[in-house]
């Protein structure tokens, strides 16, 4: 415990005396009361019979755009934790309004959200994630209000022959009126959601005829949804003031960024206009914010109060709700929270969350401002501001005070009148000058008024809430640590329902959606759905979607692709910074291929300048035909393959890391399948590898398991013999030596021969270039192995699939023969086949076990303190190609993923061995004798849920995040 200074105790003593004289009792020694020498004393009378405008709520925006995209991909329990912080009453931000984008297949800042109607004849009310998000918000707070607004619209809007009200902007059309009305009705029919408010066109002004027709359509369809106009500036109020018909079509006047500095500004003042205030309608800051989750809290604190004081605005809606976007996109830390790693579960709760809570947890929509108890401290906005609101029956009230700009402590003295006579008031505060989350949203003290009087000493840089209400709370669940998205990564898209967005794919323009594959292919694929350019909100670009980790460097991205119409598809790599609002301006490399066989490797940048690095032509790919594309990066070398044949290689060092992406060069429909990203370098972990031939499935071996110098190299069936295991050791010049586990000798070209067909051998290490090898990525996790001396490749003679076939050196081959020159490096565990091991979790120190030592089929796997039982012992059985099964000694059943699930969070069980990939595990060394266990079927790793250290903690499969709860040590059983 730290020693408290004497001066602190003196100050606290004076404070207690002051509070005693005012009839108050301190319940916490609050840091906000360490200075009683105040510069200002503000007298505030709160009259229970006082009046003002009706409060409509504090909200946030999911949209404008794509800023919530990654949230839905978070696994439980982390996804629910985030949603609780945003929507759950008495827990976090406690939002009272959720505004969502009505998707239009167009980029609207940080991505594109899908339209429920890609064409005039198409309709699907399950697309995207906004329906889900509204349902989740309503489930937590049934009283939350829902608000829709479009940033753009699909390209068919304004083309059907229905009236267009502005020939320069097809958005202002009867098609768009109908589109909105159907969206509102669909929300109710398909999701039981009532849309309380609807806007026009985000920040694109207004069209009188559109709003009048929209108002009429809502009435005709008996919809109670209120229209907000115009989600732009206050100029709409000027037009309404002189046009009664137009004014009657708008229920609420909503302005964007009305405060000082506008988008991302300081919010020192937040005025509206005289015309707006005289309309007799509610005025809203219907979009505000654009601020970092933490540093934006000061401007937010000003705006929440000053919007009413200066402009009579009764709602504040923050943009955005959350930064659930990749960090290479604009505004990547802007919102109430940041959640950009669904694979790790990591998220952060911003200071803006707690500033929001200082109003939302103490008020409700329908409360009324008390104008006589709302103003600036000491009559000077530099001291801060305060607003007071009362409940409809005047039984409760709350005062929210901000001292953002104050430089000294001050006192606020209150007198209650008009029937207000609470026995106790509760004080909560947030220290905006602190970076310690423990200083945010703190229940500071309780006050007992004496004869309706009380006072409070206010420190600079704070938000205070003084309230008669109870039920406030602060969520304290912490997120797991961040981690990179590990390689390899793959998705065949078969685990999704049609209409969904594939996990982690973030559409930047257009709409990439799960469909049943075309052209005779079974299963599901990703399809670019928009057949025509949309009505853009901002700058246009080609449709594309991105995925992955910005730290990925040397890798190969591969995907099958099919064009449905003539055009071009793009495979993207090393995708990094996107500039501003223009998705066309992004640092990236592309492989672009047309249906006629033309291809090019391109480089783009944040100025939108595309540079062709190399190009050529192959046989026509055609339409409605599947082809494989891959783009490989190794240092500054970039190579492209079409249908597994290298078509071009270039050198460019502009970008050295980044994500991958899929795209269409133009507005055509195209499909993609079997997306994979594999590292271009083996992981040098000091362990051994089996080197597996792609053609035969057999492994690189020394003939007869010999340890003799000069023994020939062959391929053999995998038996887990040490002669089939090789260690990679760098030679320090970009090449590696391959050391045999059995003999300790290295892979060698005899006599430094440069002859094609020369059989390889093993030899004592002599440092020669004929014993040095490089690995060139061949796609799909395979490599070609090239000799430093002669540039020839390791091959199997005559492409044989037989045991003991000679391994030779050969020239590079194209076509089907090339697969005999491709090799997969599979880590070897070093465990003894058929031996028994205890499998200990590095995080908890507990052993992998079966619940209650059961021998039943399907009994679940847990962790438990070591007790010597046979249910904690597992036999390591080699399954070939670097995979193993683990057989429980007690039950004779194997470690299994139930039903071959690929879902994160699925608990593991034991089941009768059936040879399935869901029962096979790859061991990857993590150093220190630890391994990760990766399931062959799902690609997910064995994990102790929630990093539990308790007995009975469940063992699940989870995305690789590097956590100690995913590391396992194998302890031999004597």
């Amino acid at each position: 415990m730290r020693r408290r200074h004497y001066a602190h105790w003196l100050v606290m003593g004076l404070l207690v005396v002051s509070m005693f004289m005012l009839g108050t009792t301190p319940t916490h020694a609050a840091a906000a009361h360490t200075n009683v020498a105040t510069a200002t004393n503000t007298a505030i009378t709160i009259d229970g019979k006082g009046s003002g405008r009706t409060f409509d709520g504090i909200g946030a925006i999911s949209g404008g755009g794509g800023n919530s995209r990654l949230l839905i991909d978070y696994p439980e329990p982390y996804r629910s934790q985030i949603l609780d912080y945003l929507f759950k009453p008495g827990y976090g931000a406690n939002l009272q309004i959720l505004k969502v984008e009505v998707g239009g297949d167009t980029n609207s800042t940080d991505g594109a959200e899908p339209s429920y109607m890609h064409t005039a004849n198409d309709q699907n009310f399950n697309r995207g994630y906004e329906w889900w998000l509204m349902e989740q918000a309503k489930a937590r707070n049934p009283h939350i209000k829902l608000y829709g607004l479009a940033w753009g619209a699909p390209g068919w809007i304004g083309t059907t022959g229905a009236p267009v009200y502005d020939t320069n902007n097809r958005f202002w059309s009867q098609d768009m009126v109908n589109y909105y009305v159907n969206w509102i009705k669909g929300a109710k029919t398909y999701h039981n959601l009532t849309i309380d408010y609807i806007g026009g066109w985000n920040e694109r002004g207004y069209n009188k005829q559109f709003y009048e027709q929209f108002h009429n359509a809502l009435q005709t369809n008996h919809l109670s949804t209120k229209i907000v106009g115009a989600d732009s500036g206050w100029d709409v109020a000027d037009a309404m003031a002189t046009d009664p018909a137009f004014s009657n079509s708008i229920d609420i006047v909503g302005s964007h960024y009305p405060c000082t500095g506008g988008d991302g500004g300081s919010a020192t003042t937040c005025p509206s206009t005289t015309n707006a205030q005289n309309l007799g309608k509610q005025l809203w800051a219907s979009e505000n914010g654009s601020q970092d989750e933490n540093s934006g809290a000061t401007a937010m604190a000003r705006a929440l109060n000053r919007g009413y004081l200066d402009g009579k605005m009764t709602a504040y809606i923050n943009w955005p709700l959350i930064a659930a976007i990749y960090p290479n996109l604009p505004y990547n830390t802007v919102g109430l929270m940041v959640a950009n790693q669904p694979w790790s579960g990591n998220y952060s709760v911003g200071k803006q969350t707690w500033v929001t809570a200082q109003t939302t947890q103490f008020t409700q929509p329908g409360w009324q401002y008390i104008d006589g108890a709302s103003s600036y401290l000491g009559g000077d906005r530099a001291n801060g501001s305060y607003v007071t609101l009362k409940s409809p029956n005047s039984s409760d009230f709350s005062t929210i005070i901000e001292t953002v700009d104050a430089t000294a402590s001050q006192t606020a003295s209150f007198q209650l009148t008009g029937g207000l006579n609470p026995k106790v008031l509760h004080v909560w505060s947030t220290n905006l000058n602190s970076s310690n989350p423990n200083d945010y949203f703190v229940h500071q003290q309780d006050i007992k008024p004496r004869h309706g009087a009380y006072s409070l000493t206010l420190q600079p840089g704070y938000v205070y809430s003084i309230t008669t209400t109870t039920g406030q709370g602060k969520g304290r669940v912490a997120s797991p640590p961040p981690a990179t998205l590990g390689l390899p990564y793959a998705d065949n898209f078969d685990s999704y329902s049609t209409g969904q967005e594939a996990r982690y794919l973030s559409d930047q323009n257009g709409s990439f959606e799960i469909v049943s594959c075309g052209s005779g292919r079974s299963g599901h694929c990703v399809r670019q759905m928009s057949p025509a350019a949309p009505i853009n909100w901002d700058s246009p670009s080609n449709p594309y979607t991105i995925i992955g980790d910005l730290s990925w460097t040397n890798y190969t991205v591969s995907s099958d692709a099919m064009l449905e119409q003539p055009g071009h598809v793009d495979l993207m790599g090393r995708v990094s910074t996107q500039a501003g609002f223009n998705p066309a301006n992004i640092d990236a490399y592309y492989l672009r291929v047309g249906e006629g066989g033309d291809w090019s490797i391109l480089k783009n940048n944040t100025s939108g300048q595309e540079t062709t690095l190399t190009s050529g032509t192959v046989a026509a790919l055609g339409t409605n035909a599947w082809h494989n594309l891959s783009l490989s990066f190794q240092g500054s070398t970039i190579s492209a393959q079409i249908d597994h044949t290298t078509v071009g290689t270039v050198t460019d060092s502009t970008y050295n890391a980044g994500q991958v992406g899929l795209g269409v060069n133009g507005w055509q429909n195209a499909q993609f399948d079997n997306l994979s990203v594999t590292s271009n370098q083996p992981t040098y972990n000091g362990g051994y590898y089996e080197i597996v031939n792609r053609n035969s499935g057999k492994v690189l071996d020394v003939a007869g398991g010999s340890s003799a110098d000069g023994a020939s190299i062959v391929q053999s069936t995998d038996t887990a013999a040490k002669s089939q295991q090789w260690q990679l050791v760098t030679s320090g010049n970009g090449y590696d030596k391959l050391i045999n586990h059995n003999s300790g000798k290295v892979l060698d070209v005899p006599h430094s021969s440069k002859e094609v067909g020369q059989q390889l051998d093993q030899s004592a290490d002599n440092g020669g270039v004929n014993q040095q090898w490089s690995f060139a990525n061949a796609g799909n996790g395979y490599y070609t192995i090239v000799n430093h001396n002669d540039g020839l490749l390791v091959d199997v003679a005559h492409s044989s699939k037989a045991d003991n076939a000679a391994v030779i050196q050969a020239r590079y081959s194209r076509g089907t023969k090339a697969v005999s020159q491709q090799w997969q490096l599979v880590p070897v565990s070093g465990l003894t086949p058929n031996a028994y091991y205890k499998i200990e979790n590095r995080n908890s120190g507990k052993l992998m076990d079966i619940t209650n030592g059961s021998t039943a089929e399907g009994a679940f796997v847990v962790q438990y303190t070591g007790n010597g039982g046979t249910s904690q012992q597992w036999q390591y059985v080699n399954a070939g190609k670097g995979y193993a099964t683990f057989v429980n000694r007690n039950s004779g059943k194997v470690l299994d993923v139930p039903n071959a699930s690929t879902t994160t969070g699925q608990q593991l069980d034991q089941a009768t061995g059936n040879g399935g990939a869901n029962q096979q595990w790859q061991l990857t060394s993590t150093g220190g004798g630890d391994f990760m266990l990766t399931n062959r079927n799902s690609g997910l790793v064995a994990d102790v849920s929630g990093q539990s250290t308790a007995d009975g903690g469940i063992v699940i499969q989870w995305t690789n995040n590097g956590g100690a709860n995913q590391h396992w040590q194998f302890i031999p059983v004597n």
Side-chain angles (χ1 to χ4, degrees):
M1 173 178 277
R2 293 177 182 267
R3 293 174 181 259
R4 296 175 182 254
H5 293 292
Y6 172 77
H8 174 86
W9 287 107
L10 177 61
V11 169
M12 290 305 299
L14 292 172
L15 174 63
V16 170
V17 170
S18 171
M19 296 171 72
F20 175 77
M21 294 175 65
L22 292 166
T24 62
T25 303
T27 58
H28 294 276
H33 293 74
T34 58
N35 187 345
V36 296
T38 60
T40 302
N41 190 333
T42 303
I44 302 169
T45 298
I46 301 179
D47 185 351
K49 297 179 180 178
S51 63
R53 296 200 175 208
T54 300
F55 174 66
D56 292 310
I58 308 298
I61 302 170
S62 173
N67 37 58
S68 303
R69 169 63 192 94
L70 297 178
L71 176 55
I72 195 171
D73 290 334
Y74 266 72
E76 296 294 353
Y78 309 117
R79 187 171 69 181
S80 288
Q81 291 170 10
I82 296 168
L83 292 166
D84 286 348
Y85 274 117
L86 294 171
F87 301 116
K88 184 178 178 180
Y91 191 85
N94 198 157
L95 290 171
Q96 297 158 333
I97 302 171
L98 173 61
K99 182 176 180 179
V100 303
E101 179 170 353
V102 179
D105 298 341
T106 179
N107 184 282
S108 50
T109 298
D110 286 312
E113 301 200 23
S115 166
Y116 78 96
M117 292 179 69
H118 296 305
T119 70
N121 301 313
D122 162 64
Q123 187 168 284
N124 184 335
F125 286 95
N126 290 310
R127 290 186 179 124
Y129 46 86
E130 299 294 9
W131 310 109
W132 166 83
L133 185 61
M134 288 189 284
E135 289 171 336
Q136 293 296 316
K138 274 287 188 182
R140 286 163 172 79
N141 178 8
H143 302 293
I144 196 169
K145 302 294 186 180
L146 302 178
Y147 176 0
L149 177 66
W151 271 249
W156 63 269
I157 292 288
T159 67
T160 66
V164 175
Y165 306 124
D166 183 341
T167 56
N168 294 317
N169 293 291
R170 290 183 288 110
F171 186 99
W172 303 120
S173 64
Q174 189 63 38
D175 282 342
M176 193 63 201
V177 169
N178 297 339
Y179 186 76
Y180 264 143
V181 169
N182 289 337
W183 185 83
I184 295 168
K185 293 165 71 175
K188 187 66 175 180
T189 301
Y190 294 94
H191 299 279
N192 196 30
L193 296 169
T194 298
I195 303 301
D196 300 283
Y197 312 108
I198 194 76
W201 190 1
N202 181 76
E203 296 174 2
R204 292 298 177 263
Y206 57 89
N207 177 281
K208 290 184 178 182
Q209 193 173 2
F210 171 87
Y211 275 96
E212 291 167 8
Q213 293 299 322
F214 192 10
H215 175 76
N216 292 339
L218 291 177
Q219 289 188 320
T220 300
N221 285 274
H222 308 291
L223 297 171
S224 61
T225 306
K226 294 182 178 181
I227 294 178
V228 182
D231 277 303
S232 289
W234 293 119
D235 57 331
V236 70
D238 301 332
M240 293 167 66
T242 60
D243 188 335
F246 180 41
S247 183
N248 288 337
S249 71
I250 292 178
D251 301 292
I252 297 162
V253 181
S255 179
H256 285 200
Y257 302 99
C259 299
T260 306
D263 186 338
S266 63
T268 303
T269 61
C270 298
S272 60
T273 65
T274 300
N275 277 341
Q277 293 186 31
N278 289 340
L279 287 172
K281 297 178 184 290
Q282 295 291 82
L283 310 181
W284 287 8
S286 56
E287 180 176 325
N288 211 62
S290 295
Q291 302 268 23
D292 176 85
E293 63 166 341
N294 291 312
S295 63
T298 53
M300 175 185 277
R302 293 190 192 101
L304 290 180
N305 278 7
R306 301 182 188 196
Y308 184 75
L309 296 176
D310 296 347
K312 297 303 177 187
M313 286 171 267
T314 57
Y316 172 101
I317 304 179
N318 193 73
W319 185 87
L321 173 71
I322 187 171
I325 57 174
Y326 287 118
N328 54 326
L329 299 176
Y331 302 99
N332 59 76
T333 64
V334 170
L336 306 184
M337 299 177 66
V338 173
N340 58 19
Q341 285 201 340
W343 49 86
S344 72
N346 178 257
Y347 61 87
S348 62
V349 183
K351 198 184 302 185
Q352 289 199 127
T353 295
W354 304 116
V355 170
T356 303
Q358 292 280 166
T359 296
T360 56
Q361 289 204 32
F362 304 93
T363 62
Q364 289 291 335
W367 281 37
Q368 189 177 24
Y369 284 96
I370 302 177
D371 286 350
S374 303
S375 188
Y376 288 96
L377 294 167
D380 186 347
R381 69 178 62 246
N383 293 325
S385 66
Y386 60 95
V387 294
T388 303
L389 301 96
K390 65 175 183 177
S391 64
N393 61 7
S394 300
S395 62
D396 283 305
F397 70 91
S398 297
T399 300
I400 295 92
I401 305 170
E402 57 85 10
T403 61
V404 169
D405 300 309
T407 57
S409 60
Q410 53 193 306
T411 299
S413 300
F414 298 85
Q415 181 64 54
L416 303 178
T417 64
L420 299 178
N421 188 27
K423 294 182 179 180
V424 65
L425 292 163
H426 314 287
V427 180
W428 291 69
S429 70
T430 292
N431 182 355
L432 298 173
N433 294 327
S434 173
S435 59
N436 183 352
N438 291 328
D439 294 331
Y440 311 152
F441 205 68
V442 177
H443 182 194
Q444 195 180 85
Q445 68 183 83
D446 288 339
I447 298 175
K448 294 181 179 179
R450 175 176 292 179
H451 307 300
Y454 57 95
S455 69
L456 188 68
T457 301
L458 309 172
Q459 293 299 324
Y462 270 73
V463 181
Y464 297 92
S465 301
I466 311 168
T467 187
T468 60
T469 65
T470 58
Q472 293 78 18
K474 181 179 181 180
R476 297 187 180 276
V477 177
S479 85
T484 58
L485 178 58
L487 293 179
Y489 180 85
D491 198 337
N492 62 12
F493 309 124
D494 288 339
S495 63
Y496 310 101
S497 301
T498 56
Q500 283 187 283
E501 293 176 273
R503 183 180 64 164
Y504 305 162
L505 282 180
S506 178
D507 299 351
Q508 296 307 295
N509 215 2
S511 180
F512 292 78
E513 188 175 303
I514 298 297
V515 298
S516 296
C517 297
S519 294
R521 176 171 290 207
S522 61
H524 287 158
C525 295
V526 166
R527 182 178 189 251
Q528 200 295 110
M529 302 293 290
S530 304
I535 299 173
N536 294 307
W537 177 68
D538 216 307
S539 302
S541 82
N542 291 320
Y544 71 93
T545 186
I546 58 176
I547 182 174
D549 202 292
L550 292 170
S551 67
W552 289 350
T553 53
N554 297 323
Y555 60 78
T556 294
V557 53
S558 173
S559 176
D560 298 336
M562 180 195 71
L563 275 162
E564 297 182 24
Q565 302 96 27
H568 292 78
V569 292
D570 289 339
L571 184 64
M572 305 168 68
R574 289 188 176 172
V575 180
S576 52
T577 305
Q578 183 189 120
F581 293 105
N582 193 340
N585 296 359
I586 190 164
D587 292 337
Y589 294 106
Y590 300 74
L591 168 60
R592 180 167 294 164
V593 182
E595 91 288 347
D598 57 299
W599 63 267
S600 55
I601 299 176
L602 304 169
K603 175 175 65 175
N604 195 16
N605 64 21
T606 53
S607 297
Q609 298 171 332
E610 285 190 358
T611 303
T612 300
L613 301 178
T614 188
S615 62
T617 303
V618 295
L621 277 64
T623 58
N624 296 306
W626 285 98
H627 298 274
N628 180 264
L629 310 179
S630 67
L631 193 57
S632 183
F633 302 91
Q634 183 67 50
S636 61
T637 300
I638 306 167
S639 61
Q641 290 187 331
I642 300 175
D643 291 329
H644 309 291
T645 298
T646 300
V647 295
T649 300
V650 295
T651 299
D652 188 275
S653 58
T654 307
Y655 314 129
N656 59 18
Q659 301 167 301
V660 303
L662 305 170
V664 181
N665 184 35
W667 291 89
Q668 303 96 33
N669 300 124
Q671 296 185 29
F672 300 89
D673 197 11
N674 295 324
L675 175 66
S676 72
V677 189
T678 55
S679 173
N680 276 358
Q681 282 297 111
T683 303
Y684 297 169
N685 55 27
Y688 289 88
Y689 297 85
E690 291 180 335
I691 303 177
V692 184
N693 189 261
R694 186 172 188 174
N695 180 57
S696 65
K698 294 183 165 56
V699 298
L700 197 70
D701 196 0
V702 179
S706 172
S707 59
D709 215 44
S712 297
I713 304 299
V714 296
Q715 68 174 6
S716 300
T717 299
D718 179 13
T719 62
K722 287 187 176 181
S723 64
Q724 297 174 344
Q725 300 172 9
W726 304 83
Q727 185 179 37
L728 279 67
V729 177
T730 182
S731 299
N733 55 1
Y735 290 85
D736 300 295
K737 296 180 290 187
L738 278 73
I739 303 173
N740 190 264
H741 195 183
N742 180 58
S743 65
K745 295 182 168 58
V746 300
L747 184 66
D748 172 89
V749 179
H751 315 299
S752 297
S753 171
K754 296 184 179 181
E755 181 181 351
V756 171
Q758 172 66 58
Q759 186 172 9
L760 307 184
D761 70 358
Q762 66 176 8
S763 180
D765 183 4
N766 60 23
V769 291
N770 62 312
Q771 297 179 344
Q772 298 177 10
W773 309 85
S774 66
F775 291 81
N777 193 281
N780 298 311
Y782 288 89
Y783 302 87
T784 56
I785 306 174
V786 184
N787 188 257
H788 190 187
N789 181 55
D790 53 27
L792 298 176
L793 283 67
V794 178
D795 195 357
V796 178
H798 311 298
S799 299
S800 173
K801 297 183 179 181
D803 271 340
N804 296 312
V807 174
I808 61 173
Q809 62 178 4
R811 292 191 180 94
Y812 174 74
S813 298
R814 293 183 181 272
T816 57
K817 187 179 179 182
V819 294
S820 67
Q821 298 178 339
Q822 297 177 19
W823 304 82
Q824 185 179 36
L825 276 70
V826 178
V828 174
S829 67
L831 302 183
T832 302
N834 303 318
Y836 285 95
Y837 293 86
K838 295 180 289 185
I839 306 176
E840 180 180 286
N841 188 262
R842 171 60 69 184
N843 181 59
S844 65
K846 299 190 186 303
L847 302 181
M848 192 179 289
D849 198 351
I850 302 297
T851 301
N852 299 322
S854 173
T855 60
E857 185 81 5
F860 284 120
V861 178
V862 296
Q863 66 175 6
Y864 209 84
T865 302
N867 56 28
T870 54
S871 64
Q872 297 180 340
Q873 299 177 18
W874 302 83
Q875 186 181 33
Y876 170 79
V877 179
N878 181 40
K881 294 191 176 181
Y883 289 92
T885 57
F886 295 95
V887 182
N888 189 267
R889 193 167 198 167
N890 183 56
S891 65
K893 294 181 169 59
V894 303
L895 185 65
D896 171 90
V897 178
N899 303 314
S901 171
T902 58
T903 303
T904 53
Q906 172 64 57
Q907 187 172 5
L908 308 186
D909 70 355
Q910 65 178 5
T912 302
N914 58 24
N918 60 311
Q919 297 182 345
Q920 297 181 19
W921 303 85
Q922 185 181 65
L923 277 70
T924 305
S925 173
T926 60
D930 291 352
F931 293 88
M932 300 189 86
L933 281 73
T934 304
N935 188 261
R936 187 172 191 173
N937 178 62
S938 66
L940 303 174
V941 302
D943 172 294
V944 176
S945 181
Q947 304 181 40
S948 171
T949 58
D951 279 341
I954 66 173
V955 179
I956 61 175
Q957 64 176 3
W958 195 261
T959 305
N960 180 351
N961 60 30
N965 60 316
Q966 297 180 342
H967 293 189
W968 305 87
Q969 187 174 38
F970 286 76
I971 303 169
V973 176
N974 296 327

